[in-house]
Amino acid sequence: MNGLDPAKIDTVLELFRAAGHAQVSPPILQPADVFLDLTGEDIRRRLFLTSGTDGADLCLRPDFTIPVCRHHLADPAAKLPAAYCYNGPVFRQRKDGLGEIPQLGAESLGRADTAEADADLLALSVKALETFGLQDSLIRIGDETIFAAILEGLDLPTVWRRRLRDLFGETDRLNAAIGRMAGGAATEDDSRDVRLGFLSALEGADPEAAHAVVEDLLSIAGISAVGGRTPSEIADRFLEQAALARGARGHDRAAETLTAYLSLKADGESAPKALRAFAAEFGLGLDTPIAAFEQRLAAIAAKGIPVSRLTFAAEFGRRLDYYSGFVFEIHAAGPDVGGPLVGGGRYDKLVTLLGAETDVPAIGFSMWLDRIAASVEA
């Protein structure tokens, strides 16, 4: 049990419904391949996996965002824009505890006014926390679109751009990759690859031939899939690793630029100035993403949230692969309760990846009721 007053949970759900979010209850059992493909390494290794009588791989839902989007796509009467809310458990394996985590949340799909949608969802989550009695919570924001624009402005091989963007939000691994890119010492994982010698054998090989070798080895071993990836996708991963090993030096200027950017921290009021100073110092054309950043701040301020209350951290990204732009977390102002009370952000490509015929801008957030209960008690 989360320890919260059920009446307050009902009040928050009514708050969501009053803001136009229809309450839904997606099935607890979900197709595992969707989450293996789209959620990121951290969630993949914490899934509760099972299978159906037909042999289909299933999992207990580890989050609500993907099931809500699947619910929308499965409803023939659903139109855009659409907004949903939910209340129920998600399931992630934990070192301690049962791994059943109560969550509330809201999702907004299809709004073209992205800055206002971002502000609406952030403001809604703040109001929900205030309903639970938590005032003056700490709001942390980030923006992956700025990081992506910086990568595009650097003289880097495509494989390195993709690798660095994949690691965004995992600060230690990202910093290690940047150091490796600039010719730093190999990591423990790199050393293991060298001992195996497999990447060295692939390095410089004809891509089609190397691809065939990997697929043949997997076939001989009787492996048809690993972690939801086909032999072809696994082969692509090996070839990417070989390319990373081959190009892991000589990018000192790019490494310096990225290190400087990731160290930026400022309150919301000062952040645009800090970003423009960084862009000028390193000769990067970031006017478009910075202008979008400022438009979002203005929309947030219009919702009654002073931007000086926000903390921008350039390194901050959420560790779910489907997030693609603005992200936020809200932490307790009091004692630490082991993580954010609220986590959310923009996932503009997810609905398309799940089967939508056109791009669907989307943003949402989840509330961790066990942490909120601990904060209320504290």
Side-chain angles (χ1 to χ4, degrees), residues 23-348:
Q23 188 169 350
V24 294
S25 298
I28 288 177
L29 276 176
Q30 295 283 324
D33 59 342
V34 174
F35 292 90
L36 290 168
D37 288 342
L38 298 175
T39 56
E41 188 175 318
D42 178 61
I43 300 300
R44 283 196 292 267
R45 64 172 177 258
R46 298 167 62 192
L47 292 176
F48 285 95
L49 294 167
T50 185
S51 58
T53 56
D54 59 356
D57 292 328
L58 303 171
C59 69
L60 302 183
R61 65 185 180 217
D63 86 340
F64 268 100
T65 300
I66 288 175
V68 167
C69 291
R70 294 184 69 244
H71 169 89
H72 172 82
L73 291 170
D75 182 357
K79 298 179 180 180
L80 293 174
Y84 303 97
C85 64
Y86 54 81
N87 173 33
V90 297
F91 303 86
R92 301 182 188 181
Q93 296 196 45
R94 289 172 157 179
K95 292 181 181 179
D96 301 310
L98 298 177
E100 180 177 339
I101 308 162
Q103 285 193 346
L104 280 172
E107 313 290 339
S108 175
L109 313 181
R111 285 182 58 175
D113 55 341
T114 56
E116 287 72 21
D118 292 348
D120 282 343
L121 270 290
L122 176 59
L124 187 62
S125 67
V126 170
K127 287 180 182 177
L129 285 178
E130 290 173 350
T131 300
F132 284 122
L134 297 174
Q135 309 289 331
D136 302 322
S137 47
L138 309 175
I139 305 172
R140 187 186 191 203
I141 64 171
D143 194 333
E144 187 174 340
T145 56
I146 298 176
F147 183 73
I150 293 169
L151 289 178
E152 289 302 312
L154 298 176
D155 183 19
L156 285 172
T158 300
V159 67
W160 268 103
R161 290 197 191 107
R162 184 165 59 247
R163 175 62 171 165
L164 295 172
R165 186 163 185 178
D166 286 346
L167 290 175
F168 184 70
E170 299 186 58
T171 302
D172 291 342
R173 294 181 67 194
L174 179 58
N175 287 336
I178 291 170
R180 177 106 170 88
M181 181 183 73
T187 66
E188 183 179 341
D189 286 344
D190 294 326
S191 299
R192 183 174 66 248
D193 288 336
V194 171
R195 287 196 300 271
L196 289 172
F198 189 56
L199 294 185
S200 297
L202 289 178
E203 185 177 347
D206 174 72
E208 290 188 9
H211 206 280
V213 167
V214 175
E215 290 202 49
D216 286 346
L217 287 173
L218 292 170
S219 177
I220 292 169
I223 298 172
S224 59
V226 176
R229 295 184 176 90
T230 66
S232 177
E233 291 169 332
I234 296 167
D236 288 339
R237 178 64 172 160
F238 275 125
L239 292 175
E240 179 178 296
Q241 291 295 323
L244 291 172
R246 182 168 65 250
R249 57 184 58 84
H251 301 296
D252 300 64
R253 179 62 175 173
E256 179 188 357
T257 302
L258 291 170
T259 300
Y261 173 68
L262 293 170
S263 69
L264 290 179
K265 288 183 173 65
D267 63 49
E269 193 170 9
S270 305
K273 182 178 178 180
L275 288 169
R276 293 191 187 281
F278 162 79
E281 179 180 353
F282 290 92
L284 295 168
L286 301 179
D287 288 348
T288 298
I290 293 175
F293 183 87
E294 290 179 309
Q295 185 179 6
R296 182 187 304 118
L297 290 179
I300 291 171
K303 294 295 176 183
I305 301 174
V307 294
S308 57
R309 181 180 171 187
L310 311 178
T311 298
F312 169 72
E315 67 179 7
F316 170 49
R318 307 213 59 229
R319 288 164 49 180
L320 287 164
D321 284 356
Y322 53 70
Y323 284 111
S324 58
F326 169 61
V327 291
F328 65 92
E329 285 183 347
I330 306 180
H331 292 256
D336 179 43
V337 293
L341 308 179
V342 177
R346 182 157 287 282
Y347 49 93
D348 290 339

